[in-house]
């Protein structure tokens, strides 16, 4: 009886929220535990206008911080706003915001979730389509919820392109660098966002978690950095602990898995196709030697659907 009563109460609450002009329908999704709140930009714009606020990225960034808060909001690693593409060869566009309100050009797990979201809710008519991102037109292929492939693109290896400090150089490969008072051998790669990979660091996860925020804040990384602490099992398997820029420790980071594979190939530790195990599960990653592009295949899941009242997350009424 109690469960039935709660169900009726929740249904009444949903009806009240969904009928408000400031209500935004959302879908909570996760890829290997890396979780996101998805909204249609048209719904979000309509609700924001109803509050009397201006539209634009600053408002979305503010909302991301509050919606993604795990104590006072829905809770997620990122907010993904799906809208119309600017590129003519794309079917969808997106804006990606980390939980701290910062934006990223690329999020592989987010793209896989977007692929399944778009097919499931019929935003696209085919299972192969392109997404307009800040790193270009990205193809996504949805076979089923366990096999979604995204083409991350060509890795950037130059110090200026990543970016990292020091003199200009073509690669940052197995460099001995002092970061936040400790010396590390690092390889750095950008796959739409900067990554620093540390193989066989000898650190426990607890030690890595203590040092990661200090490493990320080091001036050597002018735009911050995603950190991957890697243990290689063999040339086709590696285990990774990720400390993500703007999020902290995450169960999975697909762009991080891509960066790990590239760094592993460059250091002679991994083959061009390998299984990358993250705390949330496995991804299959390939760095194609002919196209120089990285492909990632893995799962995505819908966790739940609902509405949030955008007025609760804006202005003085929002959580702080």
């Amino acid at each position: 009886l109690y469960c039935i009563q709660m169900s009726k109460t929740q249904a009444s609450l949903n009806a009240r929220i969904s009928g408000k002009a400031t209500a935004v329908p959302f879908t909570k999704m996760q890829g290997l535990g890396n979780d996101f709140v998805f909204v249609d930009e048209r719904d979000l714009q309509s609700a924001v206008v109803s509050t009397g606020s201006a539209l634009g990225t600053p408002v979305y960034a503010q909302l991301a911080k509050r919606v993604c808060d795990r104590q006072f909001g829905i809770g997620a690693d990122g907010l993904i706003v799906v809208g119309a593409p600017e590129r003519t060869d794309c079917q969808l566009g997106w804006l990606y915001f980390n939980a701290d309100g910062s934006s990223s050009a690329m999020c592989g797990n987010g793209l896989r979730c977007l692929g399944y979201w778009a097919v499931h809710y019929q935003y696209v008519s085919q299972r192969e389509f392109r997404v307009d991102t800040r790193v270009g037109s990205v193809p996504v292929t949805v076979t089923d919820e366990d096999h979604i492939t995204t083409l991350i693109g060509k890795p950037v290896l130059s110090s200026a392109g990543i970016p990292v400090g020091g003199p200009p150089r073509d690669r940052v490969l197995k460099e001995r660098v002092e970061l936040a008072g400790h010396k590390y051998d690092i390889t750095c790669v950008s796959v739409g966002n900067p990554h620093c990979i540390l193989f066989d660091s000898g650190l426990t996860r607890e030690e890595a978690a203590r040092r990661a925020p200090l490493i990320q804040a080091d001036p050597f990384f002018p735009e911050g950095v995603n950190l991957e602490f890697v243990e290689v099992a063999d040339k086709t398997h590696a285990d990774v602990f990720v400390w993500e820029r703007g999020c902290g420790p995450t169960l999975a980071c697909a762009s991080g898995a891509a960066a790990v594979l590239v760094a592993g190939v460059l250091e002679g530790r991994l083959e061009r196709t390998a299984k990358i195990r993250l705390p949330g599960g496995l991804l299959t990653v390939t760095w194609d030697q002919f196209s120089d592009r990285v492909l990632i295949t893995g799962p995505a899941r819908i966790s739940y659907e609902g509405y949030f009242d955008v007025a609760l997350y804006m202005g003085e009424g929002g959580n702080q």
Side-chain angles (χ1 to χ4, degrees):
L1 178 62
Y2 177 74
C3 292
I4 295 174
Q5 184 176 357
M6 287 297 290
S7 177
K8 287 181 178 179
T9 301
Q10 186 61 52
S12 175
L13 177 62
N14 285 344
R16 290 202 303 274
I17 295 175
S18 64
K20 297 182 69 173
T22 53
V24 179
F26 74 91
T27 304
K28 178 75 178 289
M29 297 195 68
Q30 56 90 8
L32 300 184
N34 195 193
D35 56 347
F36 313 95
V37 173
F38 274 80
V39 297
D40 184 317
E41 187 171 26
R42 294 169 298 185
D43 295 326
L44 185 57
Q45 288 180 340
S46 177
V48 169
V49 168
S50 294
T51 68
S53 300
L55 294 172
T57 298
V59 171
Y60 297 167
Q62 175 190 3
L63 282 171
K65 292 173 65 175
R66 294 177 171 180
V67 167
C68 294
D69 190 294
R70 296 190 184 276
Q71 281 70 50
F72 297 100
I74 296 167
D77 292 320
L79 171 68
I80 294 176
V81 182
V82 186
E86 293 184 2
R87 290 180 173 87
T88 57
D89 65 331
C90 294
Q91 286 70 55
L92 291 173
W94 82 339
L95 295 171
Y96 177 83
F97 298 92
N98 293 307
D100 67 353
S102 62
S103 63
S104 287
M106 176 54 63
C107 175
N109 284 322
L111 272 176
R112 279 204 328 281
C113 287
L114 172 58
Y116 189 69
W117 179 90
V119 169
H120 181 80
Y121 293 107
Q122 299 181 344
Y123 275 75
V124 293
S125 58
Q126 297 180 330
R127 289 179 173 264
E128 295 185 21
F129 59 95
R130 288 182 171 270
V131 180
D132 188 356
T133 77
R134 281 164 45 196
V135 296
S137 171
V138 178
V140 179
T141 301
V142 182
T143 303
D144 54 46
E145 63 181 4
D146 289 315
H147 301 89
I148 302 163
T149 300
T150 57
L151 182 64
I152 296 298
K154 296 181 179 181
V156 175
L157 305 177
S158 69
S159 60
I162 294 170
V164 299
R169 50 218 188 271
D170 293 335
R171 291 184 177 182
V172 183
L173 177 61
K174 296 176 71 173
E175 282 194 11
R176 187 75 169 173
V177 178
E178 183 172 328
L179 300 169
H182 297 274
K183 291 185 178 180
Y184 304 93
D185 293 316
I186 65 171
T187 294
C188 296
V189 180
S190 173
V191 283
N193 46 24
H195 292 267
C196 175
I197 300 92
L198 298 88
F199 288 99
D200 304 325
S201 66
L203 300 175
T204 65
R205 291 200 174 180
E206 290 75 17
E207 291 171 328
R210 284 196 297 272
R211 295 190 187 186
L214 301 176
I215 295 173
Q216 286 182 326
D218 192 283
F220 186 75
F221 304 108
E223 296 180 7
V225 73
N226 298 281
L227 290 170
E228 284 81 33
F229 300 88
V230 188
E231 300 293 331
V232 176
D234 57 52
K235 287 219 166 188
T236 59
H237 294 83
D239 292 298
V240 182
F241 173 61
V242 180
W243 196 277
E244 198 168 346
R245 181 181 64 169
C247 298
T250 54
L251 293 175
C253 175
S255 64
V260 165
L261 183 81
V262 171
V265 171
L266 293 175
E267 290 197 19
R269 298 173 182 267
L270 294 171
E271 294 181 0
R272 283 185 171 266
T273 295
K275 301 285 188 183
I276 307 298
R277 182 179 294 280
L278 300 138
L282 277 174
L283 291 172
T284 300
V285 186
T286 297
W287 185 18
D288 184 79
Q289 67 182 78
F290 300 106
S291 68
D292 193 30
R293 296 179 182 275
V294 181
L295 295 96
I296 298 179
T297 299
R301 295 286 190 276
I302 293 174
S303 300
Y304 57 87
E305 303 165 322
Y307 292 86
F308 68 86
D309 187 346
V310 78
L312 297 177
Y313 292 100
M314 298 181 65
E316 296 181 359
N319 60 69
Q320 304 300 318

